[in-house]
Amino acid sequence: MEFLQMKVEDRIALITINKAPANALSSVVLKELSLLMDDLEKQEDVRVVLLHGEGRFFSAGADIKEFTTVETGEEFAELAKFGQDLFERMENFPKPIIAAIHGAALGGGLELAMGCHIRLVTKTAKLGLPELQLGLIPGFAGTQRLPKLVGSAKAFEMLFTSDTLTGEEAVQWGLANKAVDEEVLMDEALKMAKKIAQKGPISVASVIELSRFAKHEEFYQGVNREAQLFGKVFTSEDGKEGITAFMEKRAPEFKGK
């Protein structure tokens, strides 16, 4: 593994994202995470997974530089589909996954966190889906999971304005479970993980399996449509302008084309 590290202790698998400077979710990071899920599903000594980021951020989002190497809408849609399938697998994973979020969980980083069962955040962390600021849209099922967590009105506000929430606001909006001081984030996350690890694995897995029935078919239809539109907006003039402006550190000029 190049960007992810994992250690197992007290029936808890601690996964660390370590891709400086911002733990961007490149396709390599997503593939490494998929491989770890394969491994963890087989490990009987693991009952809870704890995911966190090394350095300043949990994950500041997708790898924008990698986007510049993708040429067609179909390739963007395939990239979105891989992330969607991975995060769906995490949400249905038979072992609880906790995201311990500090610094920032933005764009793909927040979509990754929303694929986890529980989100613990620092009070000052920033959480948001700022893709529209680049003339793009979320592509890892963020348009479907965010309204389920915060409601459609608040989801529209977050998406349309690209404004971020603090950790404390995220708890108030239902996006996170608990906000704590950064110094105690990992202690609190491990404390919760250990409590869950004491429960019967079969009953825990049963609860997760049953939670799938709370989803409607429209959710999956929306996820598929998101991948299609993800590819469309990336090949639009506005999408290209948004990425170029981001790389050049200037405000984009969108023309609606």
Side-chain angles (χ1 to χ4, degrees), residues 5 7 30 59 73 88 91 94 146 200 207 229:
Q5 288 93 45
K7 67 176 183 179
L30 295 178
S59 172
E88 178 70 15
E91 194 172 40
L146 185 64
V207 168
L229 292 177

Side-chain angles (χ1 to χ4, degrees), residues 136-152:
L136 308 175
I137 63 171
F140 298 152
T143 61
Q144 305 303 300
R145 287 202 174 88
L146 185 64
K148 283 172 63 68
L149 292 167
V150 305
S152 59

Side-chain angles (χ1 to χ4, degrees), residues 196-207:
I196 296 171
Q198 293 174 352
K199 304 294 187 293
I202 295 175
S203 57
V204 170
S206 296
V207 168

Side-chain angles (χ1 to χ4, degrees), residues 24-246:
L25 295 183
S26 66
S27 56
V28 174
V29 172
L30 295 178
K31 288 174 182 173
E32 288 188 6
L33 185 55
S34 179
L35 291 173
L36 280 183
M37 290 295 107
D38 292 340
D39 186 32
L40 287 169
E41 194 160 10
K42 300 170 188 171
Q43 290 196 34
E44 294 184 359
D45 61 327
V46 172
R47 293 188 176 181
V48 181
V49 179
L50 177 54
L51 182 63
H52 80 121
E54 182 66 41
R56 295 171 55 202
F57 307 109
F58 174 77
S59 172
D63 191 336
I64 301 297
K65 288 184 180 178
E66 184 179 34
F67 287 163
T68 63
T69 66
V70 182
E71 296 180 350
T72 68
E74 289 75 16
E75 288 179 283
F76 278 115
E78 287 177 12
L79 177 64
K81 186 73 167 55
F82 186 86
Q84 290 176 347
D85 289 347
L86 174 60
F87 296 169
E88 178 70 15
R89 182 184 181 193
M90 291 172 63
E91 194 172 40
N92 294 326
F93 203 64
K95 303 170 184 184
I97 304 176
I98 301 171
I101 300 166
H102 75 292
L106 302 174
L110 179 56
E111 291 176 297
L112 168 63
M114 289 193 291
C116 299
H117 300 105
I118 294 172
R119 286 162 292 283
L120 299 184
V121 297
T122 61
K123 294 176 181 176
T124 57
K126 293 183 178 179
L127 295 88
L129 296 178
E131 285 85 349
L132 269 67
Q133 199 159 280
L134 302 181
L136 308 175
I137 63 171
F140 298 152
T143 61
Q144 305 303 300
R145 287 202 174 88
L146 185 64
K148 283 172 63 68
L149 292 167
V150 305
S152 59
K154 290 178 176 176
F156 279 135
E157 180 179 339
M158 287 181 68
L159 289 163
F160 291 161
T161 66
S162 298
D163 288 344
T164 60
L165 303 180
T166 65
E168 290 184 317
E169 289 170 335
V171 173
Q172 293 169 3
W173 283 36
L175 185 55
N177 297 68
K178 186 177 181 180
V180 300
D181 291 325
E182 184 157 345
E183 308 85 71
V184 300
L185 175 65
M186 291 309 294
D187 289 340
E188 290 290 327
L190 285 167
K191 182 179 174 183
M192 179 179 286
K194 289 178 180 176
K195 182 180 286 187
I196 296 171
Q198 293 174 352
K199 304 294 187 293
I202 295 175
S203 57
V204 170
S206 296
V207 168
I208 293 173
E209 180 179 342
L210 289 167
S211 71
R212 299 177 194 170
F213 292 93
K215 284 184 180 175
H216 300 291
E217 182 59 29
E218 287 78 6
F219 175 88
Y220 297 102
Q221 292 173 353
V223 169
N224 289 332
R225 184 58 177 155
E226 181 189 83
Q228 294 169 356
L229 292 177
F230 187 73
K232 179 181 178 181
V233 298
F234 263 99
T235 53
S236 69
E237 288 186 24
D238 281 353
K240 293 173 182 175
E241 163 64 9
I243 293 174
T244 301
F246 177 82

